[in-house]
Amino acid sequence: MKLQLKIIFLVLKFVFCFLTEANGKDDENEKENERRIQHERLSEKVLRKPTVSEITSAISDSEVYQKIQVERLQQFMYIAPYEVAFIETLNAYKTLSSRPIEFSTNDITTLTSKCDDGESLNNRILTQIKFYRKLQEIHCTNCVFLKAALAQGEDDLKDIVHYVYLMIDMSYRGGFIVSDWLWKLHVQLLELKKNLLDTSKLPNDCLPEMKESLRKILTECRGNNYIINDDPLPSDMSLKMDDQKYRIFFFDNYKLRLGIDVGNLLLNHLWRLLREFTEKITGLLFRWTCIYPIIEEEINNLSKQYTSGEWPKQPFKHIKLHKVLLDIIKAKWYCYIWIHLFVYQKIGSRAQYYYDMLIHVINAQLNFMYTDDQTFNDVLILLSKIYTPEDDKINTTIELLKNEVNRILRSVTGPNYEYKEATISYELINKKTKRFKDPKFLHDHVNSLKHFVLNINSDMDKTSLSILLFYIRGNQFTDFVFPNE
């Protein structure tokens, strides 16, 4: 009997150990699978920016694109999958062109798929250029109807404001550029809508400069065969987005709205984010307070311009404020990543959980934090490939972040500022992490990063950094018409 009980005990012990080990393996597999998913999400967000030589190579055998200024195109050309519904909406758009551009089934597949390097890159660049030509064709058609509405002044002001907003929205979703004249028109219309409390009509001749800009761009549109002669206009001269197709698409995808209004463009209340730059947990030897006078001066300039009524006429005059704030927000975010990688590397595998937490938090922040500049994309690419604290890519990432933070700080403060470099305080980090024996520092660090982004998101009224950059770039292009021959 004792022998039987002993055998039963050993069998149960074996089964228990087996189940425990199996469950442990399942848990590890689940964690590894979640880690892989989070890293893939990072890599999927990355946009592919072709180099000048890659664009030149792609168009070298195509006479159609010989008038393209490659250096100018490369500034805003990024390759990424578009929504199928967006591409199909543009493809169904009826324009005033005698030779409308149409996307083939292969074009749609290319535009809605992730771009791979290699042989497909040339085809993707050419298809992307065709896509930009289609956006330009639609934009030229919209300008025809906008010109008629402004000339007559009979449409409701709110309809004109919304129409211009949709023109900008289409360019943003398409990764295209918006010329400064359209931004100026949008700003002036927003101000009119805000101040005209007793009428919903557009005052006659209130925007003569815009009408002249429209005349010039329509001349360019006709010269590039994007539109036929627009005089006389089609019988239906009311504002339209191809029989409401794009309006329907916009409202079906309302959660992706730009969220641009007067307050957003003036950066109302954004000065409050400055308090976040006094935090010392990062170990960065740089006094963020030195930036306060620079921002304060720019805020005062913009405030005076708005109070005097000049801002709607020259909305980009004090665009430096937008650039500085965008830069220092990114610099601070980069510092968080920089310090986390530094400590993660020193502590080793015991800090793996907190690094995985960082990747998860970054994914959650991307809708707000993302900008399509090259450095941001390079950082995402590197982070998506780092899985262990022994990975050599950590050093590469730290060096990239260090150089970018230093560049930003020098550009903000000017070349003669006494602190010419931002450096890491190893003594401070050692103190905070108890000589790298306690990974709890990283837990607090990730939570601090979360609060930093949440506070800025709130102050910016959820206007993402990508939209802010989109507005800043509006100052770079005047009367821009994408070539069509």
Side-chain angles (χ1 to χ4, degrees):
M1 185 66 178
K2 289 182 178 180
L3 179 61
Q4 290 176 330
L5 289 173
K6 189 172 183 179
I7 293 174
I8 292 173
F9 173 77
L10 290 173
V11 170
L12 290 173
K13 183 177 180 181
F14 172 77
V15 170
F16 176 77
C17 291
F18 176 78
L19 291 175
T20 301
E21 183 177 350
N23 287 334
K25 288 183 178 179
D26 287 342
D27 289 342
E28 282 300 314
N29 289 336
E30 186 175 343
K31 289 179 182 178
E32 184 59 34
N33 187 51
E34 174 62 22
R35 185 178 300 127
R36 179 183 56 79
I37 290 172
Q38 291 296 328
H39 282 252
E40 286 180 355
R41 283 184 63 193
L42 271 187
S43 63
E44 289 170 358
K45 186 66 178 180
V46 171
L47 297 181
R48 174 74 162 85
K49 185 176 180 65
T51 63
V52 169
S53 60
E54 287 172 337
I55 297 175
T56 303
S57 174
I59 67 176
S60 60
D61 296 329
S62 176
E63 295 182 1
V64 177
Y65 306 127
Q66 291 307 304
K67 289 190 176 182
I68 292 176
Q69 297 177 6
V70 176
E71 288 76 9
R72 198 176 196 194
L73 170 61
Q74 201 264 349
Q75 293 180 46
F76 65 86
M77 186 178 191
Y78 282 85
I79 293 175
Y82 295 98
E83 300 172 61
V84 175
F86 178 63
I87 299 300
E88 291 178 343
T89 299
L90 299 185
N91 209 30
Y93 207 107
K94 293 181 178 62
T95 66
L96 299 177
S97 172
S98 59
R99 296 180 296 171
I101 299 164
E102 295 183 359
F103 299 134
S104 66
T105 302
N106 288 339
D107 290 336
I108 295 175
T109 300
T110 299
L111 291 169
T112 56
S113 304
K114 186 174 181 180
C115 175
D116 296 319
D117 294 340
E119 295 181 3
S120 65
L121 181 59
N122 278 4
N123 177 60
R124 181 56 199 260
I125 290 173
L126 293 176
T127 307
Q128 188 76 18
I129 291 175
K130 183 177 181 180
F131 171 74
Y132 287 151
R133 290 169 58 225
K134 182 64 176 180
L135 282 173
Q136 185 68 69
E137 177 188 311
I138 294 173
H139 182 69
C140 287
T141 295
N142 291 338
C143 285
V144 171
F145 291 100
L146 181 59
K147 175 188 173 185
L150 292 177
Q152 295 179 11
E154 294 178 357
D155 290 87
D156 283 346
L157 178 60
K158 64 179 181 180
D159 288 340
I160 298 177
V161 172
H162 186 57
Y163 190 77
V164 173
Y165 179 93
L166 290 180
M167 291 173 68
I168 294 175
D169 177 86
M170 185 184 292
S171 292
Y172 177 73
R173 294 179 197 253
F176 201 44
I177 50 102
V178 173
S179 298
D180 65 342
W181 71 265
L182 187 60
W183 275 115
K184 290 178 182 178
L185 174 60
H186 181 53
V187 168
Q188 292 191 27
L189 289 171
L190 286 176
E191 275 294 288
L192 284 171
K193 182 182 177 184
K194 178 181 177 183
N195 297 326
L196 291 177
L197 303 179
D198 57 343
T199 178
S200 61
K201 300 297 182 181
L202 183 67
N204 290 329
D205 299 325
C206 67
L207 301 167
E209 182 184 347
M210 294 303 110
K211 292 176 183 179
E212 177 61 19
S213 295
L214 275 168
R215 186 194 65 77
K216 290 180 180 178
I217 198 167
L218 288 176
T219 299
E220 290 290 321
C221 288
R222 283 189 291 272
N224 281 278
N225 298 314
Y226 282 119
I227 56 175
I228 57 177
N229 190 356
D230 56 317
D231 188 18
L233 287 169
S235 57
D236 178 12
M237 291 193 299
S238 62
L239 291 176
K240 66 175 187 177
M241 280 278 184
D242 189 30
D243 300 325
Q244 311 302 312
K245 283 186 178 66
Y246 195 78
R247 294 175 190 260
I248 293 172
F249 170 80
F250 173 79
F251 284 108
D252 285 346
N253 296 271
Y254 194 67
K255 63 181 179 180
L256 301 175
R257 70 183 184 88
L258 289 178
I260 293 176
D261 57 26
V262 172
N264 294 133
L265 297 180
L266 287 172
L267 301 176
N268 282 355
H269 310 302
L270 202 52
W271 59 269
R272 282 186 279 174
L273 67 84
L274 294 176
R275 66 179 182 269
E276 302 294 335
F277 299 139
T278 60
E279 190 176 26
K280 296 180 180 179
I281 194 173
T282 59
L284 187 68
L285 285 181
F286 180 84
R287 283 194 255 167
W288 289 100
T289 50
C290 76
I291 296 175
Y292 292 13
I294 297 170
I295 296 180
E296 185 177 5
E297 179 182 358
E298 293 303 319
I299 289 176
N300 288 337
N301 289 337
L302 187 59
S303 298
K304 290 176 182 177
Q305 187 193 16
Y306 182 71
T307 303
S308 67
E310 290 298 312
W311 176 72
K313 299 176 183 178
Q314 294 181 293
F316 295 111
K317 182 176 182 180
H318 296 295
I319 198 68
K320 180 180 177 181
L321 173 62
H322 301 73
K323 293 178 179 178
V324 168
L325 288 174
L326 176 64
D327 273 347
I328 61 176
I329 289 170
K330 287 195 297 181
K332 183 68 172 182
W333 191 81
Y334 287 147
C335 286
Y336 275 106
I337 310 303
W338 177 1
I339 298 298
H340 194 104
L341 290 175
F342 174 80
V343 177
Y344 170 57
Q345 186 182 54
K346 295 295 182 182
I347 294 179
S349 59
R350 290 185 301 113
Q352 186 64 48
Y353 171 79
Y354 300 106
Y355 176 69
D356 295 340
M357 182 191 297
L358 174 72
I359 298 299
H360 181 82
V361 167
I362 290 175
N363 273 319
Q365 294 175 343
L366 283 182
N367 285 339
F368 170 73
M369 283 297 303
Y370 187 82
T371 61
D372 60 13
D373 66 81
Q374 189 62 50
T375 300
F376 199 99
N377 280 276
D378 288 343
V379 171
L380 293 187
I381 291 170
L382 287 165
L383 289 175
S384 71
K385 295 178 179 179
I386 296 173
Y387 281 86
T388 68
E390 295 82 22
D391 197 315
D392 289 339
K393 286 186 286 294
I394 292 179
N395 292 327
T396 303
T397 310
I398 288 176
E399 187 66 20
L400 173 65
L401 294 172
K402 174 184 174 182
N403 292 336
E404 182 64 5
V405 170
N406 288 343
R407 182 197 67 78
I408 289 174
L409 295 179
R410 284 194 296 267
S411 69
V412 171
T413 59
N416 298 320
Y417 184 67
E418 58 179 314
Y419 292 94
K420 291 190 171 70
E421 283 196 341
T423 57
I424 287 294
S425 169
Y426 293 95
E427 180 182 351
L428 176 59
I429 297 175
N430 269 309
K431 180 180 178 181
K432 291 287 185 180
T433 58
K434 298 179 181 178
R435 299 188 180 278
F436 306 115
K437 293 180 181 179
D438 184 4
K440 184 178 180 299
F441 166 81
L442 293 180
H443 178 271
D444 297 336
H445 196 65
V446 171
N447 283 333
S448 181
L449 171 61
K450 287 167 63 177
H451 290 305
F452 169 71
V453 174
L454 284 173
N455 287 338
I456 294 177
N457 192 1
S458 175
D459 284 341
M460 290 186 65
D461 195 23
K462 300 181 180 176
T463 300
S464 72
L465 300 193
S466 178
I467 292 173
L468 183 59
L469 180 60
F470 181 57
Y471 175 64
I472 291 170
R473 285 176 175 165
N475 191 39
Q476 299 174 2
F477 297 92
T478 304
D479 294 329
F480 180 80
V481 175
F482 198 79
N484 191 29
E485 56 178 318

